Amino acid sequence: MGLNEYDLVAFANASTAVSGRKALEEAGLRVCVMPTPREVSVSCGLSLRLPAEQWQNARAVLDALGIPPEERHFYRMEHRDRRQTAQL
């Protein structure tokens, strides 16, 4: 099987996740709300999926929105041969 990669933003609370989604979409980034994968232990349960290599753009948008770094965590998610990994 091939490799599937995407970036993920996990949030400390649901209201921040919703605000983040709206800001990222308004900035033109393609995002998808999803349940936080079990490989990511820090989260309210909602995360935003981004295309691979979009974390820098997303970070800039969330910084401008005023979401503190301790309330959001970026991960690179990789699926390879039915196995998923998360990297900060």
Side-chain angles (χ1 to χ4, degrees):
M1 289 202 147
L3 175 67
N4 181 21
E5 296 180 322
Y6 62 92
D7 291 334
L8 181 99
V9 188
F11 293 90
N13 61 64
S15 64
T16 305
V18 171
S19 298
R21 178 195 56 82
K22 183 178 178 187
L24 293 170
E25 287 177 343
E26 288 174 355
L29 293 173
R30 215 175 63 226
V31 299
C32 177
V33 177
M34 64 180 281
T36 302
R38 65 177 166 237
E39 293 80 9
V40 176
S41 60
V42 178
S43 174
C44 66
L46 291 178
S47 292
L48 300 179
R49 180 179 174 150
L50 304 161
E53 304 300 331
Q54 290 297 309
W55 68 271
Q56 290 175 320
N57 295 335
R59 183 177 303 234
V61 170
L62 298 177
D63 285 345
L65 186 60
I67 297 175
E70 61 272 9
E71 292 186 17
R72 56 185 164 82
H73 301 277
F74 288 84
Y75 295 88
R76 166 57 52 90
M77 303 300 296
E78 295 180 352
H79 294 263
R80 183 189 307 248
D81 299 327
R82 298 184 193 170
R83 184 168 169 245
Q84 178 169 271
T85 59
Q87 300 174 13
L88 279 174

